[in-house]
Amino acid sequence: MHVLVTGGAGFIGRRLCSALLARGNRVRVIDNFDDAYDPELKHVPEGVELIRGDCCDPAAVRLALDGVDAVAHLAARAGVRESIADPEAYGRNNVGATITLLHAMREAGIRRMVFASSSSVYGAAGGPFRECDPADRPASPYAASKRAAELFCVSSGLDVSACRLFTVYGPGQRPGMAIAKFARAIFANKPVTVYGDGSSLRDYTYVDDAVRGLVAAMDRARGYNVYNIGCGQPIPLTEVLAALSDATRKRLKVNYSAPQPGDVPLTHADITLAREQLGWAPAVSFREGIARYLASL
Ligand SMILES: NC(=O)c1ccc[n+]([C@@H]2O[C@H](COP(=O)([O-])OP(=O)(O)OC[C@H]3O[C@@H](n4cnc5c(N)ncnc54)[C@H](O)[C@@H]3O)[C@@H](O)[C@H]2O)c1
């Protein structure tokens, strides 16, 4: 099978490329190496064919789709807080690029896609979130862009699995993500800044678990379906800090700051559907994932 991974030079994308190569797939990436964070941190694994191009550019997308059997669509601006400062970039890269890609897929007769959606589409509702729950109150432009992109996937009539990923972490993660920022502060013996009082809960997903979910959802894409890809166990920020402190044997100095706009108090995945329909389940515990992440630094 020949797979196009959009955004394949990014954190989750390049891990996905490695998993696809390992099972014998031919892999092509289209990535524009945007400056949402240092582009020097982005790369693709050896053996991947790389097209430096933008998914908003129909000609580049047509080229990238040539000879492809399936698409893993990860190209997007990620990050809730940054989306409040620049909603237009999120509309263009997350919605516009998805529309361009879906249209080009239809024209090329390519039907199968897995789409990297986000738990943020559930907004600030209480969990555990199920795929059939309302997702019409996004709390940030990022969340709105992911929900809008999902709806364009529905309207395409293609075989699309939308995976709502729950806070993915692990080796190579984006430098702006909380765990990466905390780890940098710990190793620099600097205080850690926590937004809110530390009681917020996140359902953290180790990157290789997320990748297995994306692959399973791509393989089984038939019609339009949504899957929560999370651990099903929300973890308080205080436990994140404790895990980092225990693993590094360093005491943490914590500065508390006001909660940030767009942040939600809880994410919590009900993963029954992914278990039943994809035969998928997370395998890496949070403490194990943190140990693997720290070992990668
Ligand atoms: N990391 C998480 O916790 C998480 C959670 C939920 C959903 N997601 C989604 O998973 C996907 C991957 O996230 P990530 O954490 O690896 O982010 P990332 O920023 O590391 O990767 C995204 C990649 O897409 C590329 N890109 C952006 N716009 C593009 C465009 N128009 N054309 C071509 N390439 C473009 C970027 O250069 C980058 O390499 C994103 O769609 C993100 O919204 C991530």
Side-chain angles (χ1 to χ4, degrees), residues 126-211:
F129 305 135
R130 292 189 310 157
E131 290 85 347
C132 56
D133 287 345
D136 53 4
R137 298 273 162 181
S140 66
Y142 170 70
S145 73
K146 285 291 172 181
R147 182 67 181 132
E150 285 186 354
L151 296 175
F152 276 98
C153 289
V154 180
S155 73
S156 73
L158 299 176
D159 296 322
V160 181
S161 296
C163 289
R164 292 177 176 165
L165 305 175
F166 283 68
T167 317
V168 183
Y169 73 101
Q173 70 181 14
R174 303 197 314 274
M177 297 183 76
I179 291 173
K181 287 204 271 194
F182 293 161
R184 277 200 306 279
I186 290 168
F187 288 124
N189 285 315
K190 289 189 172 156
V192 162
T193 301
V194 164
Y195 298 109
D197 62 5
S199 65
S200 66
L201 293 142
R202 288 283 172 280
D203 200 324
Y204 291 95
T205 316
Y206 187 67
V207 61
D208 291 344
D209 283 335
V211 162

Side-chain angles (χ1 to χ4, degrees), residues 180-263:
K181 287 204 271 194
F182 293 161
R184 277 200 306 279
I186 290 168
F187 288 124
N189 285 315
K190 289 189 172 156
V192 162
T193 301
V194 164
Y195 298 109
D197 62 5
S199 65
S200 66
L201 293 142
R202 288 283 172 280
D203 200 324
Y204 291 95
T205 316
Y206 187 67
V207 61
D208 291 344
D209 283 335
V211 162
R212 277 191 303 102
L214 289 167
V215 172
M218 181 183 76
D219 286 347
R220 289 167 183 73
R222 198 181 169 87
Y224 177 80
N225 290 288
V226 180
Y227 298 104
N228 286 339
I229 300 294
C231 265
Q233 290 172 347
I235 291 174
L237 205 49
T238 45
E239 163 58 11
V240 176
L241 296 171
L244 287 165
S245 178
D246 291 349
T248 56
R249 296 170 201 242
K250 284 177 179 267
R251 282 174 66 86
L252 300 185
K253 290 165 265 169
V254 181
N255 288 337
Y256 290 95
S257 186
Q260 296 286 289
D263 279 355

Side-chain angles (χ1 to χ4, degrees), residues 277-288:
Q277 293 191 4
L278 304 179
W280 173 87
V284 179
S285 71
F286 184 65
R287 291 238 167 187
E288 171 61 22

Side-chain angles (χ1 to χ4, degrees), residues 6-14 30-37 42 53-57 73-79 92-94 97 115-120 142 146 163-169 172-174 177 205 214:
T6 75
F11 161 46
I12 303 171
R14 58 178 178 269
I30 179 168
D31 198 301
N32 66 358
F33 290 74
D34 71 20
D35 62 358
Y37 60 89
K42 300 178 186 180
D54 197 307
C55 291
C56 301
D57 172 1
H73 179 35
L74 279 70
R77 284 276 172 153
R92 190 173 55 249
N93 285 285
N94 299 8
F115 169 57
S117 188
S118 161
S119 60
S120 63
Y142 170 70
K146 285 291 172 181
C163 289
R164 292 177 176 165
L165 305 175
F166 283 68
T167 317
V168 183
Y169 73 101
Q173 70 181 14
R174 303 197 314 274
M177 297 183 76
T205 316
L214 289 167

Side-chain angles (χ1 to χ4, degrees), residues 3-10 12-14 16-17 27-32 51 53-55 61 64-65 70-76 93 97-98 101 105 113-116:
V3 183
L4 173 68
V5 181
T6 75
I12 303 171
R14 58 178 178 269
L16 173 62
C17 288
V27 182
R28 183 182 293 149
V29 159
I30 179 168
D31 198 301
N32 66 358
I51 295 177
D54 197 307
C55 291
V61 170
L65 286 172
V71 176
H73 179 35
L74 279 70
N93 285 285
T98 304
L101 183 62
M105 285 177 66
M113 178 197 271
V114 61
F115 169 57

